Each structure stands twice: as C-alpha cells, then as structure tokens.
Amino acid sequence: MLARLRHWWQRLSRSQRWALLAGFVATIVRLSLVGKGTMAFIDERRYITAMLGLRELCAGHGLAFLQAIHSMGARPGDGLWRVIPGLGQAVLLLGFGLNPNSPPSLQVPQVFNVLVISLNALLLYKIYRRFFSVGLALMGVALYSSLVNTNVYLRHLLPYDHALFFFLWALWVLLSAPESGRLLRYVLVGLLGGISYAVYPGYFMGPALLLLVGTAQQLAARAGAGRAGRIWPLVVQLGSFLAVLVLFELSARVSNTSYFASSRYIAGTITQGSFAEGFSFIGHYYWLVESWLGVGLLLLFTAGLVMCLWTLPTFFKPNTRSSIISVELLSMVVGAFAAWLTYACLVAVGHKLVFYGRILHFFAPFVVLGALVALQAASQRRRARWLVAVGLVVAAGSFAHFVRDYRRVEYPCDVVYQLGILDSRQLVASQTNVCESNVLTYRLFGPAIRNQPIRLTPRFRLVNFAYLYPIACYRPLALDSVRVVASAPYFMKYMPYQFEGHSPAERVILQSHKFDFKVVAE
C-alpha cells in the first residue's frame, strides 16, 4: 500500500504536489471553523427530520422513514444522503451517549460538509484540467476555493454543496465520455443529475446544462464527418434523469404524499427577497461580499464570455472546429450564462423566483471557468507563471480574509449552550427587536450527554433568540438595570448571510441598526 502511494506521489508534478499540500492545509483550516453555527437557519431543521427518519429506519419502520424524507421540502435525496453523517452521530450516541442534537455531535455533519467541499474542488480541478494547463487549472481551483460563497455554508446543515457535488461529478463523467460515447456513461450522468436535483431542487438549471453540454458533444463529434449528431445518448441521459424523479415519486406515493406536488409547492415559495435585483443581484453580491476578487472575476468572465460568443458560430461549420473539448468549453460558458439570464428574467420580469447567495453557489464554478478563458487568451508562455503566481497570492489573501471574519461570527444557539442554558425551564422570557408574530424562535440544544442533569437556576431572559425575519418593524429594546451575562452581534450582521432572502432595504436595516443577541440573568 505504501509502495503504491509512493509511486503515485512520484508521478505527480511539482505543482500538483504543492496543490495537494495547499488543499490539505485549506481543509485543516476549514475543519478549525466547525463547532458552531448549526441550526442558525430555519432550513437546517430539515436535518433533524432526516435523523428522525434514520431512527425509524434503524427500528425497522421503513414507511416512517419514507414519510420523514418526503417531508423535507422536496429534498428526499438530501434525506437519503444525510444518512452517512447520521450513522456517525448514531455511533457517538450508542458508544458515548452523546446527544445528536448537541453541538459536539453536530460537528459530524459539519465535517462531512468540509469533505464534500474538498471533493468539489478536486472535481473542479479535473474539469478545468480538460481545457487548461496545470497551472491555470490549479489557479482556477484556488480562486474558487477562496471565495466567501464557496465556504460560507460549511457550518450549516444545508444541501447546497452536496447538490453541487453530484452535479460536478456528472459534468466530469460527461466530459470524460469518448467520441464514440458509451451509453452507460450517459446513464450515469442522468442519474447523478437526478440525484443533484433531488438533493436541492433550486439547482434545476444543472440537468439542463448537462443536456446542453451533451448535445454540443454529440454535434461536435459528428460534424467533421458531415453527419448528424446521435440522439440516443441524449435520450438515455434524459431518461435516466427522469427515472430518478419517478422513483422518488413512487416512494412518495407509498408514504401517502407526492414528490412532484411538493416540488411545485416549494417552487412557489422562493419569493423571500427582491424581484428588483434580478439582474443586479450577482453584481451586488460579488462586490459587497467578495470585494475586489469578485469584481475581477466578473469582469474576466464577461471577457471570456464575449470571446466564446465571438467564436461560437465557427463551430457549427464543418471542418472549422479546432477540438471537441473547445466546443464543450464554449457550451459550458455560454450555457451557464444562458441559465443565469433565464433565472434573472424569471426574477425581474416573471416575479416567479428570487436570487439568493445559495443560487449563486451553482454559478461560481462557471464564473471562474469563464475567467480562465480570458486569462488563457491574455497570457503568453513567458508570462503564464507570473499570472498563476499572482492568482495564487490573491486566492490566499482572500481565503485568509474570509477565515478571519468567519471566525468572529457568533450564533445565538451556541452562546446559550456555552452558558449551560439547556432547558426551557431556565428561561423567564424571550424578546426580539422585530415583529414577533412571524418570528421563529430557536430551540435549545439540550445537554451534551443524554439524561445529563441540568441546573435550573439562575434563570435567564434571552434577547433576539430567534431567526429575525421579517425585520421591517425594528424597535430598540431597553435593558436598563439588568445584568447582561453575554452579548454578541446577531449573526445576520455578517454580510454574506444578508443575501439569503433579504431585500436591499432590509440589508440596510441590518447594517444600520443594532441587532445584538443578549443573555440577561434575572
């Protein structure tokens, strides 16, 4: 085993070795950021639903398990996928009595998040390497990995990175298919695309993009011979994708519900934000969250997109295309832009959807891809190393800036847990700065060890121990003559979180007013 590992290491180039070491360091840094932040967003409660379903499955109640994963808001794939970290938590419960709902145990799914983020970077390297040199591909992965949008969800039990993982896996398989095209690969692409959609339906543009790349692949493979592209690989790919959805629909019917009906309902609820930001949201996000790196990537992507659109017509003429991979690259850059434009139109014109930071999460790999197209064209051989070196330095600086800011963020549930507030009987009252009629109050984590005794005195009053939405009716709270035992800025003061459902006006309120989480001893 060691001999094989040594042989594999020796086959790597010097730059690849350094890249692996850098990736290892980045993973260690990300792991140092876990331990807090879970259950800050309401959607994270779906993870608890998945764990309850796993408990039913372990008890032999298959129907109850199906009912649980189909009650997760049209995300049954996420429920199945979360069985992996759930089993790790079950081991901790059975072996050490660790409460699955406490932060020590919830580090298991957080570590799982970090693993998936690392796998996404590896898949992106393989995809970028199909089109660019080792240096540019590594720089692209470094820039992607340094984005705030790439890292901001690692503390939270949300499906975005996981859905992206299955999509990137499908895209890599599709790009690896030979010209002759083995149908089995297209089956796998369709299945992975279906799983990605079932994990998080918000990335519905993923399967469409996979079909577009597959179509370009078939057209390019046959254009030189003057024959029409083959339709069967695309039919197989689409059929496999639909088969996954049908399978989930059948399992939903068994549990007396409908996967398709749940999907339609969820699609109609994605309106918490601003329709006015349909076309400007990405610019606002990349400037206010990603700063100069984000603006630079958007400008470079625009340049790369213009180059692709300029050369695209030549690839539809026989004997003028340069390579199949180039056609695939063009289809990915132009297709990603078309997907963004369609979504933006649905927001600004159709008022059917809104943009969130989590939606931009899907487009981030393609923003970097388009930027690499421009950088490849701009760089000459003698300048390429300097370009890569500058890009790596920028990526390292951006990642360090994110880590510094992210480490400072505190979350209400973790603060009360650290103070030993584990039972509702320890609370006198809970109040907020905003309209309380629609605000969802957080739940206490409970003791780390099951059945661990809890000290019920002293008793506390919590301020802003809730997911503060809506925030339009802000009002200051007077806390005179009280003993504040803990105080921290509300986690939504961290700018990236403000792009998860807040309008520009609401973001101004969050920035302008004091939303502090406080614990008051009575």
Side-chain angles (χ1 to χ4, degrees):
M1 182 65 180
L2 290 176
R4 289 184 178 180
L5 185 61
R6 189 183 302 110
H7 176 69
W8 170 79
W9 180 259
Q10 291 173 349
R11 291 179 57 189
L12 298 176
S13 65
R14 180 182 299 179
S15 59
Q16 288 174 323
R17 293 177 185 176
W18 280 109
L20 284 175
L21 290 175
F24 177 77
V25 171
T27 300
I28 296 300
V29 172
R30 287 182 178 129
L31 288 174
S32 72
L33 298 173
V34 306
K36 61 180 181 178
T38 55
M39 303 304 159
F41 292 96
I42 301 303
D43 282 355
E44 294 184 71
R45 295 184 180 182
R46 291 190 173 101
Y47 180 80
I48 301 300
T49 302
M51 294 307 97
L52 293 175
L54 176 61
R55 185 176 68 179
E56 295 291 347
L57 183 63
C58 293
H61 304 148
L63 179 59
F65 171 69
L66 290 178
Q67 290 173 338
I69 66 169
H70 281 291
S71 64
M72 293 180 61
R75 303 175 186 182
D78 188 36
L80 292 175
W81 178 242
R82 294 290 185 171
V83 166
I84 298 176
L87 289 174
Q89 288 191 269
V91 171
L92 293 177
L93 172 62
L94 296 176
F96 304 95
L98 204 59
N99 185 351
N101 295 323
S102 66
S105 180
L106 289 172
Q107 290 186 50
V108 174
Q110 287 183 318
V111 170
F112 190 61
N113 287 347
V114 173
L115 173 62
V116 171
I117 292 173
S118 298
L119 290 176
N120 286 347
L122 179 60
L123 286 169
L124 269 182
Y125 171 74
K126 289 181 174 293
I127 292 170
Y128 291 164
R129 187 67 184 92
R130 295 281 295 177
F131 312 112
F132 308 106
S133 64
V134 172
L136 279 176
L138 290 176
M139 183 182 70
V141 172
L143 290 172
Y144 170 80
S145 299
S146 70
L147 291 173
V148 175
N149 188 256
T150 300
N151 298 282
V152 74
Y153 305 110
L154 68 86
R155 284 177 177 162
H156 307 293
L157 310 185
L158 298 167
Y160 317 134
D161 287 297
H162 306 269
L164 190 62
F165 165 69
F166 286 104
F167 168 74
L168 292 176
W169 186 3
L171 185 58
W172 174 62
V173 171
L174 183 61
L175 294 175
S176 302
E179 288 190 35
S180 57
R182 297 175 183 174
L183 292 182
L184 184 59
R185 294 201 179 204
Y186 291 94
V187 171
L188 181 57
V189 170
L191 292 177
L192 291 173
I195 295 173
S196 175
Y197 179 85
V199 170
Y200 180 57
Y203 294 165
F204 62 88
M205 65 288 288
L209 188 57
L210 290 171
L211 277 174
L212 177 63
V213 175
T215 301
Q217 190 178 60
Q218 290 302 313
L219 291 174
R222 311 294 284 183
R227 292 179 290 178
R230 296 193 306 164
I231 192 66
W232 282 112
L234 304 178
V235 172
V236 169
Q237 182 180 329
L238 179 60
S240 301
F241 166 75
L242 295 176
V244 173
L245 305 189
V246 170
L247 182 61
F248 278 118
E249 174 65 16
L250 293 176
S251 64
R253 294 286 184 175
V254 172
S255 58
N256 298 318
T257 185
S258 172
Y259 172 52
F260 294 149
S262 299
S263 298
R264 289 193 299 270
Y265 170 76
I266 290 296
T269 64
I270 309 176
T271 56
Q272 180 181 314
S274 173
F275 296 126
E277 284 192 298
F279 297 103
S280 62
F281 185 91
I282 189 171
H284 291 160
Y285 188 97
Y286 271 74
W287 167 238
L288 295 174
V289 174
E290 307 292 356
S291 190
W292 291 106
L293 174 59
V295 173
L297 285 175
L298 283 182
L299 291 175
L300 287 171
F301 172 82
T302 302
L305 175 65
V306 170
M307 293 173 56
C308 290
L309 291 173
W310 183 264
T311 58
L312 185 59
T314 63
F315 290 93
F316 292 95
K317 300 177 182 179
N319 302 320
T320 59
R321 60 187 179 85
S322 58
S323 68
I324 296 175
I325 291 180
S326 296
V327 175
E328 294 168 338
L329 175 59
L330 292 173
S331 66
M332 290 168 62
V333 174
V334 176
F337 173 74
W340 170 83
L341 184 61
T342 301
Y343 197 103
C345 289
L346 289 173
V347 175
V349 181
H351 291 187
K352 298 297 184 183
L353 301 168
V354 292
F355 264 116
Y356 303 129
R358 71 195 79 164
I359 300 300
L360 294 187
H361 202 60
F362 173 83
F363 293 102
F366 300 102
V367 171
V368 176
L369 181 66
L372 291 179
V373 172
L375 290 173
Q376 184 183 50
S379 66
Q380 299 176 1
R381 182 170 298 179
R382 57 187 176 185
R383 299 179 183 175
R385 290 186 177 181
W386 289 105
L387 180 65
V388 171
V390 170
L392 294 177
V393 170
V394 170
S398 176
F399 185 66
H401 187 270
F402 160 77
V403 171
R404 182 198 64 185
D405 291 345
Y406 201 54
R407 204 179 293 278
R408 295 172 178 171
V409 181
E410 297 294 341
Y411 306 86
C413 292
D414 297 297
V415 174
V416 299
Y417 181 81
Q418 292 163 5
L419 290 173
I421 304 175
L422 310 172
D423 191 293
S424 60
R425 291 174 293 176
Q426 296 174 271
L427 303 181
V428 174
S430 179
Q431 57 189 130
T432 70
N433 277 116
V434 298
C435 314
E436 297 187 2
S437 58
N438 297 320
V439 169
L440 294 177
T441 303
Y442 289 125
R443 297 189 306 174
L444 299 175
F445 279 123
I449 304 299
R450 283 284 181 88
N451 302 320
Q452 184 179 11
I454 299 172
R455 182 179 178 181
L456 299 180
T457 56
R459 303 184 74 195
F460 302 91
R461 178 157 48 107
L462 303 182
V463 178
N464 288 336
F465 189 67
Y467 187 77
L468 302 183
Y469 190 91
I471 61 170
C473 49
Y474 166 80
R475 53 189 172 83
L477 295 175
L479 296 174
D480 299 331
S481 302
V482 297
R483 185 165 66 93
V484 178
V485 297
S487 178
Y490 188 64
F491 78 99
M492 200 65 73
K493 298 285 283 187
Y494 184 45
M495 180 63 75
Y497 291 147
Q498 297 174 19
F499 285 84
E500 300 298 336
H502 292 89
S503 68
E506 291 167 335
R507 294 199 292 268
V508 170
I509 293 175
L510 283 169
Q511 290 296 313
S512 303
H513 297 293
K514 194 171 185 179
F515 291 90
D516 285 349
F517 168 71
K518 295 180 183 292
V519 180
V520 179
E522 296 289 338

